[in-house]
Amino acid sequence: MATIDNLPPLRDVINTHDLRAKKSLGQNFLLDLNLTAKIARQAGDLTGCDVLEIGPGPGGLTRGLLAEGARRVLAIEKDARCLPALAEIGAAYPDRLTVLNADALELNPLEHLNAPIRVVANLPYNVGTELLVRWLTPASWPPFWSSLTLMFQKEVAQRITAQVGSKAYGRLAILSQWRADAKMVMTLPPEAFTPPPKISSAVVHLTALPEPRFPADPAVLNRVVAAGFNQRRKMLRASLKGVAPDIEDHLIAADIKPTDRAEVVHLEQWCALARNILA
Ligand code: SAM
């Protein structure tokens, strides 16, 4: 298999360091370095950027990020078994790779990073969604990252990029598209991974907007969107009843029919509703 650097092929790395995949850590490794370099390229121009990578595993994507010119990669890996393999990569790219053996849900990586920062990761699904929501809901906007390039189950990628009126349209689409551009940039079949998962995967690329697409208070927007989609088959005048007194008046003022259901309401209308409730 072609290689993008002078390090050994990833199959040899896995064998040398006995990195048998652990299901409990969601380990499905990418061993094709051409593929990992292609994923790294989806993150945009990496030169002059620090890259935060979560879950480097044996380092296939890490090698892609470094080969594509990242100024520095900070890689956070929970599984200590991967550290010797990652140390070999660090030696091949002096001063450009820092590895922290930690749980990404527990660690604040910001003290180790300098702007501009891109985040790139191939993570287990549950950790990935949790981190995505955290990255999209910082205390203030713009966030610490300029882009997020993340592998998800394809079904989750569809929920992130869904358009109004589709079955996948919901909280994750609103959250992702309110303050970022979100695109699905690659799909990968199960066979791309070792071991292969049961479902297809997709890479989503999100670029932070300098400010929200439409003004709204984040907490109020979150509340109305959550209430609307938690009972997505109900008419909004019923599903939003608990959100504010006179909800029908607020809906009409936001140009939303009280008899509509959540999935036909555009992002701009959700934001207008959140503003109207606060006014
Ligand atoms: N990036 C590698 C690749 O593409 O081949 C590995 C991807 S594998 C799907 C997910 C990686 O995330 C594993 O190496 C796993 O040990 C690591 N991981 C799982 N949970 C984690 C967590 N909470 N914090 C940091 N790393 C985690």
Side-chain angles (χ1 to χ4, degrees), residues 25-30 53-57 76-79 102-104 122-124 127:
L25 285 168
Q27 292 182 334
N28 301 99
F29 299 132
L30 290 165
E53 185 193 0
I54 311 291
I76 300 173
E77 174 55 61
K78 193 170 173 181
D79 185 355
D103 182 335
N122 171 21
L123 264 180
V127 183

Side-chain angles (χ1 to χ4, degrees), residues 150-162:
L150 306 171
M151 181 89 71
F152 288 102
Q153 291 182 341
K154 192 171 170 198
E155 175 261 327
V156 177
Q158 284 166 335
R159 282 170 41 209
I160 294 168
T161 56

